[in-house]
Amino acid sequence: MLDAAVRTFAERGYRAASMDDIAEAAGVSKPLVYLYLNSKEDLFTACIRRESDALEAAVRAAVEPGAAPDRQLWKGLHGFFSHVADHPYGWAVLHRQARTHGEPFAAEVQLLRDKLVDLVTGLIADAFSRAAVPAAAVPAPAPDSDPASDPASGSAPGGLPEEEVAALAHALVGAAESLAIRENGRPGRSAEDATSTLMNFAWAGLDGLMNGRRWSPDR
């Protein structure tokens, strides 16, 4: 039933899809649909949660614990783009429908995003920990600054401020989502192509930071 609902919502949109449409696509009666779920809103929420859980699980399963940092990030991103390519209806529900119809649906998608950001934050922090970025690579606080308010005072392993690690993770997840929207269903482009594009964009900067090379507009 959820398979039919996901496809119907993806193809027709949340507002246009009816419980009659979903029942017909699932090959069941409308009363049976209502027996399991009380309303269209409940059914749509169940679809969002199922697709969110599946996408998160695919990304986590793809990451290789203990692998080199760039390999871990590559595998996680490849898991993301592969799942999106293999589940276009689920991706459409998450990023074309749920986000555009307000609460409570947008909150469900934000929860997925938060989980992915947490995962990527951990991967980036681990990469910097292994690289052992020297403290000199992190800007020193001003002599009169309050350590509690200084962003560098809470540093992730390797010396990069935790707030900056989190910001990098947010940027990377946002870039992956944006690229997936562009690439999904695009002729001649594979999940590996999308992963390579984002790795070439992101890893050069992360690798520079891990080796103490910080870009500055004053250079």
Side-chain angles (χ1 to χ4, degrees), residues 113-137:
R113 194 172 198 277
D114 290 343
K115 291 178 179 178
L116 294 178
V117 167
D118 286 345
L119 173 61
V120 175
T121 297
L123 293 178
I124 294 175
D126 179 63
F128 278 90
S129 178
R130 295 199 208 184
V133 176

Side-chain angles (χ1 to χ4, degrees), residues 35-197:
L35 179 65
Y36 286 99
L37 294 149
N38 294 325
S39 66
K40 187 169 80 167
E41 179 178 309
D42 287 346
L43 180 56
F44 191 49
T45 299
C47 290
I48 295 169
R49 289 176 178 171
R50 190 190 76 163
E51 297 307 314
S52 294
D53 289 346
L55 179 53
E56 181 194 359
V59 175
R60 290 188 180 277
V63 174
E64 294 180 356
D70 59 336
R71 177 74 177 177
Q72 289 192 51
L73 188 57
W74 162 270
K75 293 293 287 184
L77 288 172
H78 193 271
F80 175 83
F81 287 117
S82 294
H83 185 86
V84 167
D86 291 341
H87 301 83
Y89 297 124
W91 180 247
V93 163
L94 291 174
H95 281 270
R96 281 211 315 265
Q97 298 301 322
R99 286 191 165 185
T100 59
H101 290 290
E103 302 300 345
F105 310 132
E108 295 287 344
V109 178
Q110 185 60 47
L111 181 61
L112 166 65
R113 194 172 198 277
D114 290 343
K115 291 178 179 178
L116 294 178
V117 167
D118 286 345
L119 173 61
V120 175
T121 297
L123 293 178
I124 294 175
D126 179 63
F128 278 90
S129 178
R130 295 199 208 184
V133 176
V138 180
D144 299 327
S145 66
D146 177 5
S149 64
D150 190 279
S153 64
S155 294
L160 199 69
E162 290 179 357
E163 184 62 26
E164 187 163 0
V165 172
L168 289 168
H170 273 275
L172 188 55
V173 170
E177 291 172 341
S178 181
L179 187 57
I181 292 170
R182 178 188 186 274
E183 297 286 282
N184 201 22
R186 197 177 187 87
R189 294 283 289 178
S190 66
E192 186 161 335
D193 292 331
T195 308
S196 295
T197 295

